[in-house]
Amino acid sequence: MADKPVVVVLHADDLPVGMETVSAVAEVRYATADTLADAVPGADVLLLWDFFSSAVEQVWSRCDSLKWIHIAAAGVDSLMFADLADSDVVVTNSRGVFDRPIAEYVLGQILAFAKDTAASAALQQRKEWKHRETERIDDAHAMVVGTGAIGREIGRLLRAVGMRVSGVGRTARSGDAEFGVVHASADLVQVVPDVDYLVLVAPLTEATRGVVSADVLAATKPGVRVINVGRGELLDTDALLAQMQSGHVAGAALDVFETEPLPADSPIWTTENLVVTPHMSGDARGWRGKLSALFVANFTKYARSEDLVNVVDKKLGFVG
């Protein structure tokens, strides 16, 4: 490139590390949501380090030179809007950084449910010796709603410990390497009755919003557990709470919510057998460094006019 590209980094509290490679060949401007409007004119590249921010849409009219947006997250639902989707601006995400940590989180929650870990902790606090039998997970059926990179890593890990694994995606197919069978999301009501663990990891799009509906939850077998590591809006939370209060759903682990942080008055906090974690399933130690390294590697490709990795299909809302 004859002229130095201009890179804007939208951040909140922390900054990406290892940006020396970028600043050596580009003008780097750091901005918060409040100052983004002044930083984006003339910018070629925008790094959304503040990956939940919706500020880009608000300053879109000032993005007069923008060619590429990279988001430091796997999901792009907080970023996407109609004008961006219709533009020539390339969007990339951080696919690959969170796959294994989220898969381990899912396996950990499954083991915690099967081995009654929460009850053991409560009994220990009361110094109460109470022998119980627990469950095995081998041959239990885990259905993973979302067959992208994270869903596939979940499938591989659960299959490795002997679980039966199936997937749910846009279209039905058989012979899938990780899932064996993939069911169409439109058929979810028909295929959930034999599921022991329903795992949600799909990206949030108009097609997946509310995919696990009241009807789907009602169609599950008694004793099912639900784990959501995708987006809160994938799940009808009110229906989940009702099914848990009736005893039909035996447990749930929710890492994502429609409103984050979860409001203090939400009944989710106090629902028995419901585990709450604060959107941290993918945040294993060192994750920020991996996010920075991915952007720097992709920027090196950009500077060399090479094809970028993790290019998002803006109409679908995920990497094609």
Side-chain angles (χ1 to χ4, degrees), residues 34-87:
D34 293 337
T35 61
L36 186 62
D38 294 328
V40 291
D44 302 284
V45 179
L46 175 59
L47 167 59
L48 261 66
W49 192 249
D50 183 6
F51 43 83
F52 286 132
S53 175
S54 58
V56 178
E57 183 175 10
Q58 300 166 22
V59 303
W60 183 247
S61 63
R62 297 177 64 82
C63 298
D64 52 7
S65 300
L66 199 58
K67 302 175 182 65
W68 169 37
I69 299 175
H70 179 83
I71 184 169
V76 299
D77 50 282
S78 60
L79 165 65
M80 294 305 301
F81 51 95
D83 287 342
L84 172 57
D86 292 337
S87 74

Short mmCIF file of all heavy atoms in Angstrom, two decimals, residues 34-87:
data_model
loop_
_atom_site.label_atom_id
_atom_site.label_comp_id
_atom_site.label_asym_id
_atom_site.label_seq_id
_atom_site.Cartn_x
_atom_site.Cartn_y
_atom_site.Cartn_z
N ASP A 34 -17.85 6.94 22.84
CA ASP A 34 -18.12 8.38 22.87
C ASP A 34 -17.29 9.16 21.86
O ASP A 34 -17.70 10.24 21.42
CB ASP A 34 -17.87 8.94 24.27
CG ASP A 34 -18.87 8.41 25.29
OD1 ASP A 34 -19.97 7.99 24.88
OD2 ASP A 34 -18.54 8.42 26.48
N THR A 35 -16.11 8.64 21.51
CA THR A 35 -15.22 9.38 20.61
C THR A 35 -15.10 8.75 19.23
O THR A 35 -14.35 9.23 18.39
CB THR A 35 -13.81 9.48 21.23
OG1 THR A 35 -13.27 8.16 21.41
CG2 THR A 35 -13.86 10.19 22.56
N LEU A 36 -15.85 7.66 18.99
CA LEU A 36 -15.72 6.93 17.73
C LEU A 36 -16.07 7.81 16.53
O LEU A 36 -15.42 7.72 15.47
CB LEU A 36 -16.61 5.69 17.75
CG LEU A 36 -16.49 4.75 16.56
CD1 LEU A 36 -15.08 4.18 16.45
CD2 LEU A 36 -17.52 3.61 16.65
N ALA A 37 -17.06 8.65 16.65
CA ALA A 37 -17.50 9.49 15.53
C ALA A 37 -16.37 10.37 15.01
O ALA A 37 -16.27 10.64 13.80
CB ALA A 37 -18.70 10.34 15.94
N ASP A 38 -15.50 10.81 15.90
CA ASP A 38 -14.39 11.66 15.48
C ASP A 38 -13.22 10.85 14.94
O ASP A 38 -12.38 11.40 14.22
CB ASP A 38 -13.91 12.51 16.67
CG ASP A 38 -14.95 13.52 17.12
OD1 ASP A 38 -15.71 14.00 16.25
OD2 ASP A 38 -15.01 13.81 18.32
N ALA A 39 -13.18 9.56 15.27
CA ALA A 39 -12.03 8.74 14.87
C ALA A 39 -12.21 8.05 13.53
O ALA A 39 -11.22 7.76 12.83
CB ALA A 39 -11.76 7.68 15.94
N VAL A 40 -13.45 7.76 13.12
CA VAL A 40 -13.66 6.92 11.93
C VAL A 40 -13.50 7.61 10.57
O VAL A 40 -13.21 6.92 9.59
CB VAL A 40 -15.03 6.21 11.98
CG1 VAL A 40 -15.05 5.16 13.08
CG2 VAL A 40 -16.17 7.20 12.12
N PRO A 41 -13.68 8.92 10.45
CA PRO A 41 -13.47 9.51 9.12
C PRO A 41 -12.06 9.23 8.61
O PRO A 41 -11.06 9.45 9.31
CB PRO A 41 -13.69 11.01 9.35
CG PRO A 41 -14.63 11.07 10.51
CD PRO A 41 -14.20 9.95 11.40
N GLY A 42 -11.97 8.71 7.40
CA GLY A 42 -10.68 8.38 6.80
C GLY A 42 -10.12 7.03 7.20
O GLY A 42 -9.07 6.62 6.70
N ALA A 43 -10.80 6.32 8.08
CA ALA A 43 -10.30 5.02 8.55
C ALA A 43 -10.56 3.93 7.52
O ALA A 43 -11.63 3.87 6.92
CB ALA A 43 -10.94 4.65 9.88
N ASP A 44 -9.56 3.07 7.34
CA ASP A 44 -9.69 1.92 6.44
C ASP A 44 -10.16 0.67 7.18
O ASP A 44 -10.87 -0.17 6.62
CB ASP A 44 -8.33 1.61 5.79
CG ASP A 44 -7.78 2.79 5.03
OD1 ASP A 44 -8.27 3.05 3.93
OD2 ASP A 44 -6.86 3.46 5.57
N VAL A 45 -9.72 0.53 8.43
CA VAL A 45 -9.95 -0.68 9.21
C VAL A 45 -10.50 -0.29 10.57
O VAL A 45 -10.06 0.69 11.18
CB VAL A 45 -8.64 -1.48 9.39
CG1 VAL A 45 -8.88 -2.74 10.24
CG2 VAL A 45 -8.03 -1.83 8.04
N LEU A 46 -11.46 -1.08 11.05
CA LEU A 46 -12.02 -0.87 12.38
C LEU A 46 -11.94 -2.18 13.15
O LEU A 46 -12.48 -3.20 12.71
CB LEU A 46 -13.48 -0.41 12.28
CG LEU A 46 -14.25 -0.25 13.60
CD1 LEU A 46 -13.57 0.76 14.51
CD2 LEU A 46 -15.69 0.17 13.32
N LEU A 47 -11.25 -2.16 14.27
CA LEU A 47 -11.18 -3.31 15.17
C LEU A 47 -12.16 -3.07 16.32
O LEU A 47 -11.99 -2.13 17.11
CB LEU A 47 -9.76 -3.49 15.72
CG LEU A 47 -9.59 -4.44 16.91
CD1 LEU A 47 -10.09 -5.85 16.57
CD2 LEU A 47 -8.14 -4.47 17.38
N LEU A 48 -13.16 -3.92 16.42
CA LEU A 48 -14.12 -3.83 17.52
C LEU A 48 -13.61 -4.65 18.68
O LEU A 48 -13.99 -5.81 18.87
CB LEU A 48 -15.50 -4.33 17.07
CG LEU A 48 -16.50 -3.25 16.68
CD1 LEU A 48 -16.01 -2.53 15.43
CD2 LEU A 48 -17.87 -3.83 16.46
N TRP A 49 -12.70 -4.05 19.45
CA TRP A 49 -12.22 -4.69 20.66
C TRP A 49 -13.33 -4.67 21.72
O TRP A 49 -13.45 -5.60 22.52
CB TRP A 49 -10.96 -3.97 21.15
CG TRP A 49 -10.21 -4.68 22.21
CD1 TRP A 49 -10.09 -4.31 23.51
CD2 TRP A 49 -9.48 -5.90 22.07
NE1 TRP A 49 -9.33 -5.23 24.19
CE2 TRP A 49 -8.93 -6.21 23.33
CE3 TRP A 49 -9.22 -6.76 21.00
CZ2 TRP A 49 -8.15 -7.34 23.55
CZ3 TRP A 49 -8.45 -7.89 21.21
CH2 TRP A 49 -7.92 -8.17 22.47
N ASP A 50 -14.13 -3.62 21.71
CA ASP A 50 -15.33 -3.55 22.55
C ASP A 50 -16.44 -4.26 21.76
O ASP A 50 -17.28 -3.65 21.12
CB ASP A 50 -15.69 -2.09 22.81
CG ASP A 50 -16.89 -1.93 23.73
OD1 ASP A 50 -17.37 -2.95 24.26
OD2 ASP A 50 -17.35 -0.79 23.91
N PHE A 51 -16.43 -5.58 21.84
CA PHE A 51 -17.17 -6.39 20.86
C PHE A 51 -18.67 -6.43 21.08
O PHE A 51 -19.40 -6.90 20.22
CB PHE A 51 -16.62 -7.82 20.82
CG PHE A 51 -16.33 -8.42 22.18
CD1 PHE A 51 -17.32 -8.99 22.93
CD2 PHE A 51 -15.03 -8.40 22.67
CE1 PHE A 51 -17.05 -9.54 24.17
CE2 PHE A 51 -14.74 -8.96 23.91
CZ PHE A 51 -15.75 -9.53 24.67
N PHE A 52 -19.18 -5.91 22.19
CA PHE A 52 -20.63 -5.84 22.38
C PHE A 52 -21.19 -4.47 22.03
O PHE A 52 -22.39 -4.24 22.13
CB PHE A 52 -21.01 -6.20 23.82
CG PHE A 52 -20.91 -7.67 24.12
CD1 PHE A 52 -20.27 -8.12 25.26
CD2 PHE A 52 -21.45 -8.60 23.26
CE1 PHE A 52 -20.17 -9.47 25.54
CE2 PHE A 52 -21.37 -9.96 23.52
CZ PHE A 52 -20.72 -10.39 24.67
N SER A 53 -20.32 -3.57 21.65
CA SER A 53 -20.77 -2.21 21.36
C SER A 53 -21.61 -2.17 20.08
O SER A 53 -21.33 -2.86 19.11
CB SER A 53 -19.56 -1.29 21.20
OG SER A 53 -19.99 0.01 20.80
N SER A 54 -22.63 -1.34 20.10
CA SER A 54 -23.45 -1.11 18.91
C SER A 54 -23.18 0.27 18.32
O SER A 54 -23.98 0.80 17.54
CB SER A 54 -24.94 -1.23 19.27
OG SER A 54 -25.28 -0.30 20.29
N ALA A 55 -22.02 0.84 18.67
CA ALA A 55 -21.72 2.23 18.28
C ALA A 55 -21.47 2.39 16.80
O ALA A 55 -21.59 3.51 16.27
CB ALA A 55 -20.52 2.73 19.07
N VAL A 56 -21.10 1.33 16.10
CA VAL A 56 -20.75 1.48 14.67
C VAL A 56 -21.94 1.98 13.88
O VAL A 56 -21.81 2.86 13.02
CB VAL A 56 -20.24 0.15 14.10
CG1 VAL A 56 -19.92 0.29 12.61
CG2 VAL A 56 -18.99 -0.32 14.85
N GLU A 57 -23.12 1.44 14.13
CA GLU A 57 -24.30 1.89 13.40
C GLU A 57 -24.56 3.37 13.62
O GLU A 57 -24.97 4.09 12.69
CB GLU A 57 -25.52 1.07 13.83
CG GLU A 57 -26.77 1.42 13.05
CD GLU A 57 -27.95 0.53 13.38
OE1 GLU A 57 -27.87 -0.25 14.36
OE2 GLU A 57 -28.97 0.62 12.66
N GLN A 58 -24.29 3.85 14.82
CA GLN A 58 -24.55 5.25 15.14
C GLN A 58 -23.62 6.20 14.39
O GLN A 58 -23.97 7.35 14.16
CB GLN A 58 -24.41 5.45 16.66
CG GLN A 58 -25.37 4.61 17.48
CD GLN A 58 -25.00 4.56 18.95
OE1 GLN A 58 -24.30 5.43 19.46
NE2 GLN A 58 -25.44 3.52 19.64
N VAL A 59 -22.42 5.74 14.01
CA VAL A 59 -21.46 6.61 13.33
C VAL A 59 -21.26 6.20 11.88
O VAL A 59 -20.32 6.66 11.22
CB VAL A 59 -20.10 6.60 14.07
CG1 VAL A 59 -20.28 7.03 15.52
CG2 VAL A 59 -19.42 5.24 13.99
N TRP A 60 -22.14 5.35 11.38
CA TRP A 60 -21.95 4.78 10.04
C TRP A 60 -21.81 5.85 8.96
O TRP A 60 -21.04 5.72 8.02
CB TRP A 60 -23.11 3.85 9.71
CG TRP A 60 -22.98 3.14 8.39
CD1 TRP A 60 -23.74 3.31 7.28
CD2 TRP A 60 -21.99 2.16 8.05
NE1 TRP A 60 -23.31 2.49 6.27
CE2 TRP A 60 -22.24 1.77 6.71
CE3 TRP A 60 -20.93 1.57 8.73
CZ2 TRP A 60 -21.46 0.82 6.05
CZ3 TRP A 60 -20.16 0.62 8.08
CH2 TRP A 60 -20.42 0.26 6.76
N SER A 61 -22.55 6.93 9.08
CA SER A 61 -22.50 7.99 8.07
C SER A 61 -21.13 8.64 7.99
O SER A 61 -20.80 9.29 6.99
CB SER A 61 -23.57 9.06 8.35
OG SER A 61 -23.32 9.69 9.60
N ARG A 62 -20.31 8.50 9.01
CA ARG A 62 -18.97 9.10 9.03
C ARG A 62 -17.88 8.11 8.60
O ARG A 62 -16.72 8.49 8.52
CB ARG A 62 -18.67 9.64 10.43
CG ARG A 62 -19.62 10.77 10.84
CD ARG A 62 -19.36 11.26 12.25
NE ARG A 62 -18.04 11.86 12.40
CZ ARG A 62 -17.72 13.12 12.08
NH1 ARG A 62 -18.66 13.92 11.56
NH2 ARG A 62 -16.51 13.59 12.29
N CYS A 63 -18.28 6.87 8.33
CA CYS A 63 -17.31 5.84 7.90
C CYS A 63 -17.12 5.95 6.39
O CYS A 63 -17.63 5.14 5.61
CB CYS A 63 -17.81 4.45 8.29
SG CYS A 63 -17.99 4.19 10.06
N ASP A 64 -16.39 6.96 5.98
CA ASP A 64 -16.30 7.30 4.55
C ASP A 64 -15.25 6.51 3.78
O ASP A 64 -15.25 6.51 2.55
CB ASP A 64 -16.04 8.81 4.39
CG ASP A 64 -14.85 9.29 5.21
OD1 ASP A 64 -14.13 8.46 5.80
OD2 ASP A 64 -14.63 10.52 5.25
N SER A 65 -14.34 5.81 4.48
CA SER A 65 -13.28 5.07 3.79
C SER A 65 -13.17 3.62 4.24
O SER A 65 -12.25 2.91 3.85
CB SER A 65 -11.92 5.76 4.02
OG SER A 65 -11.93 7.09 3.53
N LEU A 66 -14.09 3.19 5.05
CA LEU A 66 -13.98 1.89 5.71
C LEU A 66 -14.04 0.73 4.72
O LEU A 66 -14.93 0.68 3.86
CB LEU A 66 -15.09 1.75 6.75
CG LEU A 66 -14.90 0.71 7.84
CD1 LEU A 66 -13.64 0.98 8.65
CD2 LEU A 66 -16.12 0.70 8.76
N LYS A 67 -13.09 -0.19 4.87
CA LYS A 67 -13.03 -1.36 3.99
C LYS A 67 -13.20 -2.67 4.76
O LYS A 67 -13.62 -3.67 4.18
CB LYS A 67 -11.70 -1.38 3.24
CG LYS A 67 -11.45 -0.14 2.38
CD LYS A 67 -10.07 -0.17 1.76
CE LYS A 67 -9.79 1.09 0.95
NZ LYS A 67 -9.75 2.31 1.82
N TRP A 68 -12.85 -2.66 6.03
CA TRP A 68 -12.83 -3.92 6.78
C TRP A 68 -13.11 -3.65 8.26
O TRP A 68 -12.55 -2.73 8.84
CB TRP A 68 -11.45 -4.58 6.61
CG TRP A 68 -11.15 -5.74 7.52
CD1 TRP A 68 -12.02 -6.71 7.94
CD2 TRP A 68 -9.89 -6.04 8.13
NE1 TRP A 68 -11.37 -7.60 8.76
CE2 TRP A 68 -10.06 -7.22 8.89
CE3 TRP A 68 -8.63 -5.45 8.09
CZ2 TRP A 68 -9.03 -7.80 9.62
CZ3 TRP A 68 -7.59 -6.02 8.82
CH2 TRP A 68 -7.79 -7.19 9.56
N ILE A 69 -14.01 -4.46 8.83
CA ILE A 69 -14.27 -4.45 10.27
C ILE A 69 -13.94 -5.84 10.81
O ILE A 69 -14.41 -6.85 10.28
CB ILE A 69 -15.74 -4.13 10.58
CG1 ILE A 69 -16.13 -2.75 10.06
CG2 ILE A 69 -15.99 -4.21 12.09
CD1 ILE A 69 -17.61 -2.42 10.24
N HIS A 70 -13.15 -5.86 11.87
CA HIS A 70 -12.87 -7.12 12.56
C HIS A 70 -13.44 -7.02 13.96
O HIS A 70 -13.19 -6.05 14.68
CB HIS A 70 -11.37 -7.39 12.65
CG HIS A 70 -11.05 -8.67 13.38
ND1 HIS A 70 -11.08 -9.89 12.77
CD2 HIS A 70 -10.73 -8.89 14.69
CE1 HIS A 70 -10.78 -10.83 13.67
NE2 HIS A 70 -10.57 -10.24 14.84
N ILE A 71 -14.21 -8.04 14.39
CA ILE A 71 -14.79 -8.04 15.72
C ILE A 71 -14.09 -9.10 16.56
O ILE A 71 -13.86 -10.22 16.12
CB ILE A 71 -16.31 -8.29 15.65
CG1 ILE A 71 -16.93 -8.19 17.05
CG2 ILE A 71 -16.65 -9.60 14.99
CD1 ILE A 71 -18.45 -8.14 17.03
N ALA A 72 -13.75 -8.72 17.78
CA ALA A 72 -13.03 -9.61 18.69
C ALA A 72 -14.01 -10.52 19.43
O ALA A 72 -14.03 -10.61 20.66
CB ALA A 72 -12.21 -8.79 19.69
N ALA A 73 -14.83 -11.20 18.65
CA ALA A 73 -15.84 -12.12 19.18
C ALA A 73 -16.18 -13.10 18.07
O ALA A 73 -15.86 -12.88 16.90
CB ALA A 73 -17.08 -11.36 19.63
N ALA A 74 -16.86 -14.18 18.45
CA ALA A 74 -17.32 -15.14 17.44
C ALA A 74 -18.65 -14.68 16.85
O ALA A 74 -18.87 -14.78 15.64
CB ALA A 74 -17.45 -16.53 18.06
N GLY A 75 -19.55 -14.17 17.69
CA GLY A 75 -20.84 -13.70 17.21
C GLY A 75 -20.75 -12.27 16.70
O GLY A 75 -20.02 -11.44 17.24
N VAL A 76 -21.52 -11.98 15.66
CA VAL A 76 -21.51 -10.63 15.07
C VAL A 76 -22.87 -9.95 15.21
O VAL A 76 -23.10 -8.90 14.61
CB VAL A 76 -21.10 -10.67 13.58
CG1 VAL A 76 -19.69 -11.22 13.43
CG2 VAL A 76 -22.09 -11.49 12.75
N ASP A 77 -23.78 -10.52 16.00
CA ASP A 77 -25.14 -9.98 16.09
C ASP A 77 -25.17 -8.58 16.66
O ASP A 77 -26.03 -7.77 16.30
CB ASP A 77 -26.02 -10.91 16.92
CG ASP A 77 -25.40 -11.27 18.26
OD1 ASP A 77 -24.50 -12.14 18.28
OD2 ASP A 77 -25.80 -10.69 19.27
N SER A 78 -24.23 -8.25 17.57
CA SER A 78 -24.22 -6.90 18.14
C SER A 78 -23.72 -5.86 17.15
O SER A 78 -23.96 -4.67 17.32
CB SER A 78 -23.34 -6.87 19.40
OG SER A 78 -22.00 -7.23 19.08
N LEU A 79 -23.03 -6.32 16.12
CA LEU A 79 -22.46 -5.41 15.12
C LEU A 79 -23.37 -5.19 13.94
O LEU A 79 -23.50 -4.07 13.44
CB LEU A 79 -21.12 -5.96 14.62
CG LEU A 79 -20.55 -5.35 13.32
CD1 LEU A 79 -20.19 -3.88 13.53
CD2 LEU A 79 -19.33 -6.14 12.86
N MET A 80 -24.02 -6.23 13.45
CA MET A 80 -24.67 -6.17 12.15
C MET A 80 -25.90 -5.26 12.12
O MET A 80 -26.68 -5.23 13.06
CB MET A 80 -25.07 -7.57 11.70
CG MET A 80 -23.89 -8.49 11.42
SD MET A 80 -22.71 -7.82 10.21
CE MET A 80 -23.76 -7.62 8.80
N PHE A 81 -26.03 -4.52 11.02
CA PHE A 81 -27.21 -3.71 10.74
C PHE A 81 -27.34 -3.62 9.23
O PHE A 81 -26.42 -3.99 8.48
CB PHE A 81 -27.11 -2.32 11.39
CG PHE A 81 -25.82 -1.59 11.10
CD1 PHE A 81 -25.74 -0.68 10.05
CD2 PHE A 81 -24.69 -1.82 11.88
CE1 PHE A 81 -24.56 0.01 9.79
CE2 PHE A 81 -23.51 -1.13 11.63
CZ PHE A 81 -23.44 -0.22 10.58
N ALA A 82 -28.48 -3.18 8.76
CA ALA A 82 -28.83 -3.30 7.34
C ALA A 82 -27.83 -2.60 6.43
O ALA A 82 -27.40 -3.15 5.41
CB ALA A 82 -30.23 -2.77 7.11
N ASP A 83 -27.43 -1.38 6.76
CA ASP A 83 -26.52 -0.63 5.89
C ASP A 83 -25.16 -1.32 5.78
O ASP A 83 -24.55 -1.33 4.71
CB ASP A 83 -26.35 0.80 6.39
CG ASP A 83 -27.57 1.66 6.13
OD1 ASP A 83 -28.39 1.27 5.29
OD2 ASP A 83 -27.70 2.72 6.77
N LEU A 84 -24.70 -1.88 6.87
CA LEU A 84 -23.44 -2.61 6.82
C LEU A 84 -23.58 -3.87 5.98
O LEU A 84 -22.72 -4.19 5.16
CB LEU A 84 -22.98 -2.98 8.24
CG LEU A 84 -21.77 -3.91 8.36
CD1 LEU A 84 -20.55 -3.33 7.65
CD2 LEU A 84 -21.44 -4.18 9.83
N ALA A 85 -24.67 -4.60 6.19
CA ALA A 85 -24.89 -5.83 5.42
C ALA A 85 -24.96 -5.55 3.92
O ALA A 85 -24.52 -6.38 3.11
CB ALA A 85 -26.16 -6.52 5.89
N ASP A 86 -25.47 -4.40 3.55
CA ASP A 86 -25.62 -4.05 2.13
C ASP A 86 -24.38 -3.41 1.54
O ASP A 86 -24.31 -3.17 0.33
CB ASP A 86 -26.81 -3.10 1.94
CG ASP A 86 -28.14 -3.77 2.24
OD1 ASP A 86 -28.21 -5.02 2.14
OD2 ASP A 86 -29.10 -3.06 2.58
N SER A 87 -23.38 -3.13 2.37
CA SER A 87 -22.19 -2.41 1.91
C SER A 87 -21.13 -3.37 1.40
O SER A 87 -21.28 -4.60 1.47
CB SER A 87 -21.61 -1.59 3.07
OG SER A 87 -20.95 -2.44 4.00
#
